[in-house]
Amino acid sequence: MKLDRGIATLTLDSPENRNALSAALVAELAEALTECGADPAVRAVVLTHTGSTFSAGADLNAPPSPYAFVDLLRQIVELPKPVVGVVRGHARAGGLGLLGACDVVVASEESDFALTEVRIGVAPAVISLTLLPRLEPRAAARYYLTGERFGTADAVRMGLVTATEHELEAILDGLRKGSPQGLAESKRLVTARVLETFERDAEDLVQRSASLFASAEAREGMTAFLERRDPEWRL
C-alpha cells in the first residue's frame, strides 16, 4: 500500500497473467482493503494495476471460490471509505465486476472493456451483483450477450466508468476535502441499491455460476480458450 495525503493506492501486480483474479490475488486484495478500512490516515482508496491490463477476469488455472469473490466485491462496496478504480488499458470479465464495486472509476481514453463470459460457455453471474445496478439496461444486454469490446466513451455512457483519466486528480482532491464521517455516510447512501442486490441475489448467483462452470459447454469453452482455438459451437 502506498499512502499519499490520505489516498491509499492498492496495485494489482501480476502482469504475467494479466492480473487474473486468482485465489491468492483475491485474498491479498481483501487483506489490503481491511487494512485501509481500519487505518484512520486513509481517506480514500485507489485501486489500479501494473501492466497493460487492469484484470483479465478469473484465473482459470487457480480461481477463487465464488463465495470469496462475492465477499471481496461486497467488501469494496461496504468499505467505509471511497474506492476509486483506475484503468489504463484492458479490463475483462471479472475485472469489470471489481470496477462495478468501486464508487468512482476513471479510465484512460485508450482503455477497452469486454464481458467475455458468454464466449467460454458461462455468464457474468456473480459480477452482476455490482454491474446490473449501475449499467444502462440496453447496453448491459448488448455487451452481456455479444462479448464485444467497447471503449471508454461507451463505458462512460453506460455507467461503468465515471470519467476519463484527466479528471482523476480533481476527484482525489475532492475526496481529500470530505470529512471521514461525511464520506462514509454519503457512500452508504449511494451504495444502498447495490447492497440490496447482494442481500437478494448473491446466493442464487453463486449457485448459478458454479453450475455453469461445471457444465460440459464451459469445459469446452475454457479448454478452447487455453488452447487458443475456437470452441466447437463457433459458427
Side-chain angles (χ1 to χ4, degrees), residues 2-9 41-46 172 175-176:
K2 176 184 175 183
L3 186 63
D4 177 26
R5 294 176 54 220
I7 306 297
T9 297
V42 175
R43 186 67 50 85
V45 177
V46 165
L172 297 182
L175 294 174
R176 288 184 175 107

Side-chain angles (χ1 to χ4, degrees), residues 5-70:
R5 294 176 54 220
I7 306 297
T9 297
L10 304 180
T11 303
L12 304 178
D13 187 21
S14 184
E16 66 278 1
N17 68 351
R18 301 189 300 154
N19 293 315
L21 298 169
S22 65
L25 186 149
V26 166
E28 289 168 7
L29 181 54
E31 181 179 355
L33 287 165
T34 297
E35 292 176 4
C36 289
D39 189 343
V42 175
R43 186 67 50 85
V45 177
V46 165
L47 179 60
T48 188
H49 61 101
T50 59
S52 62
T53 302
F54 175 79
S55 176
D59 185 338
L60 299 182
N61 293 310
S65 77
Y67 288 106
F69 190 47
V70 167

Side-chain angles (χ1 to χ4, degrees), residues 93 96 113-125 127-128 131-132 135-150 158 208 212 233-234:
L96 274 68
F113 309 83
L115 290 155
T116 52
E117 289 87 346
V118 68
R119 298 188 179 187
I120 62 166
V122 294
I127 63 175
S128 290
L131 290 177
L132 290 184
L135 299 185
E136 191 280 321
R138 287 295 189 187
R142 173 178 177 174
Y143 294 113
Y144 266 51
L145 294 171
T146 67
E148 295 171 279
R149 286 185 294 174
F150 55 95
M158 67 193 285
R208 194 180 310 186
L212 287 169
W233 61 76
R234 177 74 161 85

Side-chain angles (χ1 to χ4, degrees), residues 2 18 40 101-102 112 166 185 219 230:
K2 176 184 175 183
R18 301 189 300 154
C102 293
D112 61 64
H166 75 272
E185 292 303 314
R219 287 195 295 275
D230 288 336

Side-chain angles (χ1 to χ4, degrees), residues 135-219:
L135 299 185
E136 191 280 321
R138 287 295 189 187
R142 173 178 177 174
Y143 294 113
Y144 266 51
L145 294 171
T146 67
E148 295 171 279
R149 286 185 294 174
F150 55 95
T152 296
D154 285 329
V156 171
R157 282 193 288 269
M158 67 193 285
L160 176 65
V161 170
T162 310
T164 54
E165 189 181 10
H166 75 272
E167 296 188 55
L168 176 60
E169 289 308 316
I171 290 168
L172 297 182
D173 284 344
L175 294 174
R176 288 184 175 107
K177 294 173 183 176
S179 79
Q181 175 177 275
L183 291 171
E185 292 303 314
S186 295
K187 175 166 178 171
R188 287 181 62 191
L189 292 172
V190 298
T191 58
R193 184 179 167 210
V194 181
L195 288 173
E196 287 174 3
T197 304
F198 276 83
E199 295 294 340
R200 184 184 67 237
D201 299 332
E203 181 62 28
D204 173 66
L205 291 174
V206 165
Q207 295 301 323
R208 194 180 310 186
S209 178
S211 176
L212 287 169
F213 272 95
S215 69
E217 276 194 23
R219 287 195 295 275

